[in-house]
Each structure stands twice: as structure tokens, then as C-alpha cells.
Amino acid sequence: MIINILAGGPEDHLPDLYQYTETDAIWVGVDRGVYHLLKKNIKPEIAFGDFDSVSQNELSFIESQVAELKRYQPIKDETDTELALNWALEQKPKTIRLFGATGGRIDHLFANVQLLFNPLKSGQDADILLIDRYNEIFLKAPGMYKIKKQAKKKYISFVPLTLDITDLTLTGFKYPLKNRHISLGSTLCISNELVSDCGTFSFSEGILIVIRSHD
């Protein structure tokens, strides 16, 4: 099962959502993201938010279209996006895609990137991808992983989320590495590229942010 979540970030940062409408995909709307989905004739199965970013007319439209609406007070401990993501994780999907979570306010961006850490903390194996028009972002715990070349997102960057990344090894890349120690704040692994159709990356300690991008 795949769960697609559309948060309320700027529309001009969104990719083409229609390419993610597989038959086994469930759509979830968050705050103004619900309205964006409905405008595209994509009906979410459930919606979350305090809906302080929509007009009364837009809210009425949302209420008439969405069967399950989880509405919250603006003052709460979790963001609307976190509430939606927590629900998604409870469904135990294979993949969660998070759209509309970049652009606009930078505090929202940092918060949403950190939300990708939640399944790692709880030991869940769901892949969470933060996707916008130019980037695909995900986190990885220690291990070895395969990564395939994508023509549309040729740049691959590896950014430490924790203080240290130990034994980082990259194979099949334009700039390979072997057992390198990377500290928080390093830009050593920015804008690498695959030279093979498939490469690998591995490390033994830390949490790594992986970013696939295009200009």
C-alpha cells in the first residue's frame, strides 16, 4: 500500500501529482492541501488540519467533498502534517510520499524533514519520501543500499542528520568514497552523480539525509 499526503505548501513547488495516482495509492489531504487535491479532481480518503489557511467558502467545499475530516484547534502540540503522517504510519504502508512540505516558510521545511525520522525511531520499515518539483528527500539508518540512476534527478547528495556518519562508502558514483567519516556541517557529498545504472551507498553509524535533485 502507498499513502500520498499533500500538505499545504506552495502549489508552484508541487510535481505533477497525476503521475502518483496508482490504483493502490491512498490520498490524504492536510489543511490547504485538501483544497489543492480537490481542485485537481483527486479526492482524499481522509483529511487533517485546523484549516486556518482556507476561506470559509473553501472549507465548506472541503466538508462537502471529504467523507472523513479530522479537524483540530490551531493551538496543539503537533503540526497538521505530523498528525497526518502519524495516521499514515499506523496503516503500515510500504511507502509514504509527502508532497507540499517544502517551499514557503523554512521552519516548516526543517520540521517536515525531521518528520522523516519518525519511522526510524519506532522501528517501522515504511519508506517516507518528501517530494517536490525539484527534489526527492529521504532518510536512511546504517546499512547498505542500492540506488538507481534517474535521468530526471541526476544529482544525489548525502547530508549528515546526526553529528557523525561513519564508514560512508559510495560505489558506482562519479565521486566514489570508501569508509569516510563525515561530520555534521560537511559539504563533501553534495551534488554527486551516478556513472552506473545502479550504485550503492553504505555506512555504519549515524542517520543520513539523501537528496535526489535536478536544476
Side-chain angles (χ1 to χ4, degrees):
M1 177 174 58
I2 299 170
I3 297 180
N4 295 327
I5 302 174
L6 179 58
E11 281 191 276
D12 59 0
H13 278 66
L14 296 179
D16 177 9
L17 297 181
Y18 297 116
Q19 65 181 307
Y20 300 100
T21 54
E22 302 96 332
T23 55
D24 62 340
I26 294 173
W27 281 92
V28 177
V30 178
D31 208 74
R32 188 163 185 81
V34 186
Y35 186 67
H36 292 332
L37 282 177
L38 293 174
K39 285 198 304 179
K40 296 178 182 294
N41 293 316
I42 300 173
K43 184 170 288 191
E45 294 197 13
I46 187 170
F48 296 81
D50 52 37
F51 298 100
D52 59 355
S53 62
V54 298
S55 68
Q56 186 56 52
N57 286 340
E58 290 167 343
L59 179 57
S60 297
F61 175 64
I62 289 169
E63 291 173 333
S64 71
Q65 296 294 314
V66 181
E68 189 170 0
L69 194 66
K70 302 285 188 181
R71 192 172 181 185
Y72 300 87
Q73 294 296 321
I75 299 175
K76 55 188 181 300
D77 292 337
E78 302 91 354
T79 64
D80 296 334
T81 303
E82 184 176 4
L83 290 167
L85 181 59
N86 288 343
W87 175 88
L89 288 169
E90 290 172 359
Q91 314 314 305
K92 301 189 182 304
K94 177 184 177 182
T95 302
I96 299 173
R97 301 183 186 122
L98 181 56
F99 307 96
T102 63
R105 286 174 51 177
I106 198 167
D107 56 337
H108 288 174
L109 171 61
F110 275 94
N112 291 333
V113 169
Q114 290 192 89
L115 287 180
L116 304 181
F117 188 57
N118 286 358
L120 299 181
K121 290 190 298 184
S122 58
Q124 294 174 277
D125 59 0
D127 292 323
I128 304 184
L129 307 174
L130 195 161
I131 302 171
D132 66 18
R133 186 175 175 182
Y134 300 101
N135 309 282
E136 181 178 292
I137 303 169
F138 54 95
L139 302 188
K140 287 298 182 183
M144 176 177 283
Y145 305 95
K146 292 182 179 180
I147 188 164
K148 294 182 179 180
K149 181 183 287 188
Q150 291 183 11
K152 292 185 177 180
K153 291 186 175 69
K154 70 174 185 176
Y155 301 115
I156 304 175
S157 297
F158 299 93
V159 181
L161 180 63
T162 50
L163 189 60
D164 296 289
I165 301 295
T166 304
D167 299 324
L168 180 61
T169 297
L170 309 178
T171 63
F173 283 83
K174 183 176 181 180
Y175 307 107
L177 290 178
K178 185 173 182 180
N179 298 331
R180 287 291 298 268
H181 176 271
I182 308 297
S183 296
L184 188 66
S186 171
T187 59
L188 175 66
C189 298
I190 299 299
S191 296
N192 210 332
E193 301 177 40
L194 284 166
V195 293
S196 304
D197 289 336
C198 184
T200 66
F201 65 95
S202 63
F203 58 106
S204 60
E205 291 184 31
I207 301 294
L208 201 59
I209 305 173
V210 184
I211 306 171
R212 309 193 66 145
S213 306
H214 68 86
D215 291 322

